[in-house]
Amino acid sequence: MEMHRPACEGLDLFTADDLSPADVRACAAVCEPCPLFVECQQYRKVARPAAGVWAGKRSNGRGGNEDA
């Protein structure tokens, strides 16, 4: 089984609380080719993180997504 590292590893922007639309677009560009995109997307849906960008979308902790 091959192990992959997330494309966003070490990039603090992905877990920031105050993101501009441009920040979200920049994060989404990193997410798109990530080998863990599907897993990250599933995590966002289940865990509902309070902040940050997960699988290319901003998480608000309420189960909805603010940005594509």
Side-chain angles (χ1 to χ4, degrees):
M1 179 179 204
E2 188 174 341
M3 298 296 291
H4 295 283
R5 306 300 296 177
C8 63
E9 185 173 55
L11 301 175
D12 293 337
L13 184 61
F14 280 83
T15 55
D17 290 330
D18 187 25
L19 295 168
S20 71
D23 291 336
V24 175
R25 287 190 300 272
C27 289
V30 173
C31 293
E32 187 177 333
C34 182
L36 298 176
F37 181 88
V38 172
E39 291 84 349
C40 187
Q41 186 176 48
Q42 291 171 340
Y43 174 79
R44 185 186 74 238
K45 290 178 181 179
V46 173
R48 298 180 182 168
V53 174
W54 301 87
K57 295 189 178 185
R58 184 184 310 194
S59 183
N60 60 18
R62 297 185 297 260
N65 297 308
E66 296 175 8
D67 298 305

